[in-house]
């Protein structure tokens, strides 16, 4: 798709968004732009129901390109630096199930990229962290916000203040990753899980929206959003298929159309 990113889609409706910028998948401004374009493409692609974000077998991503940032001044970053966060927000808002498959390091912006996904599957050799403080900056692509919402304020502060790296087991213990697999299996496990979600009903989109957008609201507003989205499910073919199937054949046998 772009110079450093590609999208491949299988028959089951699972797309892999692959990052490929040797040697460390450092996220320069070209990569940020491509990730934003990928988010728009994946959102619009009717044949895609779930997405695996993968940096390849060696490294997920070592963060923003420090060599590019080194020469930037305040004005430059103020004008252009928001691009990474915008691209990540577009990925986080993808109305499809997303799984980050993490081999090797996911640091700084790399960890923040993984945080845009619904789930993180880590290789047993994965190492995650927010080392920005060691460069004299703070996480700027969701690391102070998505991270603390996921693992809690204290753990996020420990990670962000200390700038340390955390192995797969530590990340599993704190809820930063959801599953740990052998390094040569993690991508396949993520695709397998994505395929199961891709066979799910259109209501998965409603569920993601209700949980993610509801988490940003007061309870009363969030419950109203839930009611609206629950009701919206009645406009889908899959709602009828799911209930007809239950009544005729019992639970869990529906074959959905994603419509
Ligand atoms: C630019 C990078 C880089 C990065 C590595 N390289 N990470 N270049 N940006 N983020 C380069 C190295 O300079 C080196 O280039 C080559 O890649 C290989 O890296 P090594 O350090 O030699 O490899 P290794 O010893 O295996 O260590 C891997 C590593 C380490 C643990 C990932 O490279 C590292 O700590 N990288 C920086 C991680 C980091 O601080 N990320 C946060 C960035 S700030 P040469 O030319 O010497 O071969 C950020 C902010 C996001 O992400 C928010 C912005 C809005």
């Amino acid at each position: 798709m772009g110079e450093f990113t590609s999208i491949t889609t299988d028959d089951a409706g699972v797309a892999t968004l692959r990052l490929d910028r040797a040697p460390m998948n450092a996220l320069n401004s070209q990569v940020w732009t491509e990730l934003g374009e990928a988010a728009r493409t994946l959102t619009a692609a009717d044949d895609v129901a779930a997405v695996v974000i993968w940096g390849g077998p060696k490294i997920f991503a070592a963060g923003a390109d420090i060599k590019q940032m080194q020469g930037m001044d305040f004005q430059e970053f103020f004008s252009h630096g928001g691009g990474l966060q915008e691209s990540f927000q577009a990925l986080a808002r993808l109305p499809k199930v997303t799984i980050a498959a993490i081999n090797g390091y996911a640091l700084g912006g790399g960890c923040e990229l993984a945080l845009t996904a619904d789930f993180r599957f880590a290789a047993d050799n994965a190492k995650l962290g927010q080392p920005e403080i060691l460069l004299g900056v703070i996480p700027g692509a969701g690391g102070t916000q998505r991270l603390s919402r996921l693992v809690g304020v204290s753990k996020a502060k420990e990670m962000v203040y200390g700038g340390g790296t955390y192995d797969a087991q530590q990340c599993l213990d704190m809820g930063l990753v959801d599953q740990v697999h052998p390094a040569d299996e993690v991508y396949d496990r993520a695709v397998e899980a994505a395929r199961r979600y891709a066979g799910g009903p259109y209501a998965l989109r409603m569920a993601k929206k209700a949980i993610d957008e509801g988490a940003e609201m007061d309870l009363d507003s969030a419950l109203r959003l839930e009611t609206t989205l629950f009701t919206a499910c009645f406009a889908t073919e899959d709602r009828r298929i799911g209930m007809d199937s239950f009544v005729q054949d019992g639970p869990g046998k529906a074959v959905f159309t994603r419509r």
Side-chain angles (χ1 to χ4, degrees), residues 42-64:
L42 290 165
T43 298
D46 287 335
D47 59 337
V48 172
V51 178
V52 174
I53 305 173
W54 193 42
K58 295 202 182 92
I59 184 159
F60 188 72

Side-chain angles (χ1 to χ4, degrees), residues 1-6 29-39 87:
M1 187 198 136
E3 194 182 345
F4 303 120
T5 56
S6 61
S29 48
Q30 170 76 22
V31 179
W32 313 355
T33 306
E34 289 183 23
L35 288 172
E37 284 163 6
S87 292

Side-chain angles (χ1 to χ4, degrees), residues 56-128:
K58 295 202 182 92
I59 184 159
F60 188 72
D65 189 327
I66 300 167
K67 289 168 186 166
Q68 185 181 48
M69 285 192 298
Q70 184 190 19
M72 290 172 88
D73 61 17
F74 165 78
Q75 278 83 2
E76 254 177 294
F77 214 88
F78 194 76
S79 305
H80 306 294
L84 183 59
Q85 197 171 86
E86 278 167 30
S87 292
F88 281 11
Q89 185 65 342
L91 285 171
R93 289 278 191 238
L94 255 175
K96 307 178 181 190
V97 177
T98 57
I99 303 174
I102 305 166
N103 285 91
Y105 288 105
L107 299 177
C111 187
E112 292 167 307
L113 174 60
L115 284 165
T116 67
D118 292 314
F119 306 108
R120 279 145 296 283
F121 287 15
D124 49 16
N125 68 354
K127 287 195 164 56
L128 284 75

Side-chain angles (χ1 to χ4, degrees), residues 60 67 75 147 150 164 186 248:
F60 188 72
K67 289 168 186 166
Q75 278 83 2
L147 180 66
L150 186 65
V186 66
Q248 278 157 30

